[in-house]
Amino acid sequence: MDRIEKSKEKERPYIICHMLTSLDGKIIGEYLIEERAAYFRDLYEKIHDRYGGKAWMCGRVTMEEHFTFGNQLDLKEKNIPPIPRTDYVANTDTKTYAVAVDPSGKLGWTKNYITDDYGLGDHIIEVLTEQVSDVYLAHLQKLGISYIFGGKERLNFTVVVEKLKSLFSIDQLMLEGGGFLNGSLLNERLIDELSLILVPIADGASNSVTLFETSSFLTNQHPVNFFLKEVEKLDDGGLWLKYVTKRD
Ligand SMILES: NC(=O)c1ccc[n+]([C@@H]2O[C@H](COP(=O)([O-])OP(=O)(O)OC[C@H]3O[C@@H](n4cnc5c(N)ncnc54)[C@H](OP(=O)(O)O)[C@@H]3O)[C@@H](O)[C@H]2O)c1
């Protein structure tokens, strides 16, 4: 039985954190605009496709940077009736999902899917806390975006990923940054596998985000052991490292 088969027996998806870093562990920085880095960035997408699976997840900052491009919604509508804080599964026959961790509802979506150049589109699932406004929920419903609640004021990712499995039958989840989101799932011991593309450039900046960051409210962050499963030499001195958190 392979890992995904095994995860079908679990209450939650099998979670693969798929990331690209510099030699000094930075996930963003000027090293990414070096000419050499283009090959690795392209490979990152190819490996994502190779994993397949029906869902990937990113934090609000990453989604804003790459998919909503900072779009701010003008949600001034008045007289919105209170909307119950219950999960909303939009009526869709989509088979693939983009999961956006957006606790207070900041992302300026204008449609209910994300497309690449080839696919039909990944249906958006927003992960919210109950602090989100009614007007934002009304906006999501109007666009046909699904949403789930992960807590009253703070997100509990164990609850979140269990809902992804029970409501959307997601058996494998690609966790794709940024560092604060990765750190949150690491903190709850939810990462099963790490797929790391190591770019042979040291960024050198002291203040950029690394692979796993700790939000100020996460107080119980402990070291997590990873065990090497596979290593592949890439062209131009890069490495693709695959680690798991449980020994076979
Ligand atoms: N190299 C790579 O492979 C790779 C992959 C993905 C992203 N990136 C880069 O990573 C950068 C962003 O990383 P980041 O770490 O700053 O941001 P991020 O993880 O994308 O998003 C952080 C935000 O997500 C929400 N969030 C995350 N954890 C939470 C928790 N436990 N509870 C509640 N909310 C939580 C919060 O939203 P609110 O602020 O709204 O509360 C938080 O500010 C981008 O520049 C992106 O390009 C790189």
Side-chain angles (χ1 to χ4, degrees):
M1 204 169 12
D2 70 12
R3 287 182 196 296
I4 298 163
E5 280 294 311
K6 275 185 203 159
S7 80
K8 283 185 183 153
E9 295 172 354
K10 285 202 219 156
E11 303 294 307
R12 65 165 180 85
Y14 183 77
I15 299 176
I16 301 162
C17 180
H18 176 52
M19 295 294 291
L20 170 151
T21 72
S22 60
L23 288 176
D24 46 352
K26 311 290 186 189
I27 62 167
I28 51 172
E30 292 202 0
Y31 77 96
L32 287 170
I33 50 175
E34 293 279 316
E35 211 179 320
R36 283 175 85 193
Y39 158 72
F40 297 101
R41 292 206 321 263
D42 187 48
L43 197 66
Y44 176 84
E45 298 302 333
K46 287 191 176 132
I47 292 175
H48 165 104
D49 292 343
R50 217 185 289 173
Y51 270 108
K54 61 197 284 188
W56 52 279
M57 175 189 263
C58 285
R60 195 264 307 162
V61 175
T62 301
M63 285 296 191
E64 203 157 72
E65 191 180 305
H66 296 279
F67 300 104
T68 64
F69 308 109
N71 182 43
Q72 302 284 318
L73 297 170
D74 186 21
L75 299 176
K76 289 203 187 92
E77 238 175 292
K78 289 188 183 125
N79 305 322
I80 295 273
I83 298 179
R85 276 17 183 191
T86 50
D87 302 328
Y88 176 76
V89 179
N91 192 8
T92 171
D93 54 7
T94 310
K95 291 186 179 63
T96 52
Y97 299 93
V99 184
V101 176
D102 181 21
S104 52
K106 293 180 186 159
L107 288 170
W109 300 117
T110 54
K111 52 187 188 194
N112 69 348
Y113 59 91
I114 290 175
T115 37
D116 60 21
D117 293 343
Y118 316 100
L120 290 173
D122 301 330
H123 175 74
I124 298 163
I125 304 171
E126 275 262 321
V127 175
L128 301 162
T129 66
E130 294 181 23
Q131 303 307 305
V132 64
S133 66
D134 290 317
V135 70
Y136 191 74
L137 293 182
H139 173 74
L140 295 182
Q141 290 192 10
K142 197 164 135 198
L143 289 182
I145 292 178
S146 299
Y147 56 78
I148 56 175
F149 291 95
K152 243 182 177 11
E153 286 169 8
R154 299 234 168 113
L155 293 175
N156 177 326
F157 283 94
T158 305
V159 169
V160 168
V161 296
E162 285 178 5
K163 285 185 177 186
L164 292 177
K165 169 119 184 187
S166 63
L167 297 174
F168 302 93
S169 304
I170 292 170
D171 285 325
Q172 175 181 292
L173 178 67
M174 300 300 287
L175 170 65
E176 299 190 332
F180 282 93
L181 179 64
N182 293 345
S184 300
L185 276 91
L186 187 77
N187 185 260
E188 290 190 43
R189 298 277 197 271
L190 288 170
I191 296 176
D192 298 297
E193 187 167 327
L194 175 65
S195 158
L196 184 66
I197 296 177
L198 196 60
V199 180
I201 308 175
D203 187 59
S206 59
N207 56 352
S208 49
V209 184
T210 67
L211 182 57
F212 297 112
E213 293 284 347
T214 309
S215 303
S216 53
F217 49 82
L218 295 178
T219 50
N220 57 340
Q221 192 71 274
H222 296 297
V224 175
N225 283 283
F226 284 84
F227 304 97
L228 190 65
K229 183 181 155 195
E230 231 176 296
V231 57
E232 195 176 309
K233 273 188 176 183
L234 303 173
D235 287 349
D236 197 21
L239 289 176
W240 179 24
L241 303 166
K242 281 192 270 179
Y243 287 96
V244 288
T245 49
K246 283 174 202 72
R247 283 186 204 275
D248 281 331

